Amino acid sequence: MEMLGLRRCVGELSATTSASAAFSRVGSGGTPRKTPKPRRVLTPVRRSGRLIAISATAPTRSAPGPRCSARLNGHSIKHKALPLKGSLSKAAAEEAEESDEEEQEKKAVVVIDKERVRILQERRCDSKARGAVYDTVLGICCHFCRQKKLCGEEDCKRCGEGDLNQPCKGKTDCSSCHSSYGILCRACLKVRYGEDMDEVRKNKSWMCPHCIEEKGIKKFWICNSSICLKKRKLAPTGIAIFDARQQGFESVAHLLMDKLKRGAF
């Protein structure tokens, strides 16, 4: 074998195979490769002793079938007895009475300090226009100027004596809506709509400009407050009484009526 060179060839072949095996373990980057770990066999999920005890004591169920109601399964069901005819209206009446009593209690809680009323009366404006004393409790908000001021009427028990259950004599009340749209002070009523408070008080069927506009009683007569003008997608007029009087109109409402007739507004 030595003469034929077989031993030398066997040595060279073993050297080359060992070198290739080492290269495969190291890899091309020079770092040895990690041999893959054998996969672990997953065990069942661990459960607490409480759940195991519950599952052991729970009765075994058969294969799930279609769900049926207790009546179809033969079980008896106890229903609540329905109220007799007319009892619902009695319950509603009792609830309404309780709510009325709560509202009366709330009104009784609001106690007006007489000393505070006296101080307000000393600062109260004597004129019958818009007033000068702002009060969030006794004052009623005007729809146009949105000021909660005490009126200057002599016979007003609300602003003069502090009685919350009495209406304000210096504010209007619409006979149609009885809402905040129909509350106007003496000054706004005169300047913006050309109406007098004394005549409005005598007229029990007086309607506010907002209701007149909605019902179409007076054509082109609209409520010219900023709230209502914005709802009509019109720009508020601001202080327009001087422009109206220069043009010979009685109020801002008459000026706007003329502009609407001409299509200039």
Side-chain angles (χ1 to χ4, degrees):
M1 292 177 67
E2 290 180 358
M3 293 177 63
L4 295 173
L6 294 176
R7 187 173 293 176
R8 182 172 57 82
C9 291
V10 170
E12 291 177 357
L13 288 172
S14 62
T16 54
T17 54
S18 62
S20 62
F23 179 77
S24 63
R25 286 196 300 270
V26 172
S28 61
T31 56
R33 293 182 178 179
K34 295 182 180 180
T35 57
K37 295 181 179 180
R39 297 183 64 183
R40 295 180 180 179
V41 179
L42 298 176
T43 58
V45 181
R46 295 178 60 188
R47 303 181 69 182
S48 65
R50 180 179 60 83
L51 295 177
I52 293 171
I54 291 172
S55 61
T57 58
T60 57
R61 294 183 179 180
S62 58
R67 295 178 62 185
C68 298
S69 63
R71 180 178 59 82
L72 296 177
N73 290 334
H75 301 291
S76 60
I77 303 173
K78 293 182 179 180
H79 297 282
K80 293 182 179 179
L82 294 175
L84 298 175
K85 188 176 180 181
S87 59
L88 291 176
S89 59
K90 290 180 181 178
E94 290 176 359
E95 290 179 0
E97 289 178 0
E98 290 178 359
S99 62
D100 292 339
E101 289 177 359
E102 290 178 358
E103 290 180 357
Q104 290 177 2
E105 289 177 359
K106 289 179 181 179
K107 289 181 180 179
V109 171
V110 181
V111 178
I112 303 299
D113 188 6
K114 297 298 181 182
E115 183 64 21
R116 177 175 171 274
V117 173
R118 185 185 65 80
I119 295 171
L120 289 175
Q121 295 308 312
E122 291 178 356
R123 297 174 48 233
R124 185 181 171 195
C125 183
D126 294 331
S127 66
K128 292 184 179 181
R130 189 172 283 122
V133 179
Y134 189 88
D135 190 88
T136 57
V137 179
L138 295 174
I140 299 176
C141 184
C142 173
H143 174 59
F144 183 83
C145 64
R146 295 191 282 279
Q147 296 293 318
K148 290 184 177 182
K149 291 185 177 180
L150 303 181
C151 70
E153 307 294 329
E154 296 178 357
D155 55 344
C156 183
K157 293 184 179 181
R158 183 185 182 92
C159 299
E161 300 177 6
D163 191 354
L164 286 172
N165 297 323
Q166 297 295 328
C168 179
K169 293 292 185 69
K171 301 290 191 305
T172 58
D173 182 25
C174 179
S175 62
S176 178
C177 64
H178 297 285
S179 65
S180 59
Y181 290 105
I183 299 175
L184 297 168
C185 64
R186 181 182 284 268
C188 292
L189 183 68
K190 184 67 177 176
V191 171
R192 304 299 301 191
Y193 305 100
E195 298 185 57
D196 187 66
M197 178 65 73
D198 297 329
E199 295 178 0
V200 168
R201 245 192 272 170
K202 292 176 183 178
N203 186 9
K204 300 299 180 182
S205 60
W206 178 82
M207 285 192 296
C208 64
H210 187 269
C211 290
I212 292 174
E213 176 188 354
E214 279 193 343
K215 296 181 179 182
I217 298 173
K218 198 173 182 180
K219 197 174 181 180
F220 299 113
W221 183 265
I222 65 172
C223 180
N224 55 68
S225 67
S226 59
I227 299 172
C228 296
L229 287 177
K230 286 179 180 178
K231 286 182 180 180
R232 294 174 64 96
K233 297 182 180 181
L234 297 174
T237 60
I239 304 174
I241 183 61
F242 301 108
D243 187 18
R245 287 176 178 172
Q246 283 180 359
Q247 297 184 30
F249 295 102
E250 186 179 357
S251 67
V252 179
H254 293 86
L255 173 64
L256 295 181
M257 181 186 288
D258 181 69
K259 286 185 177 181
L260 289 172
K261 286 179 180 179
R262 293 185 287 106
F265 186 65

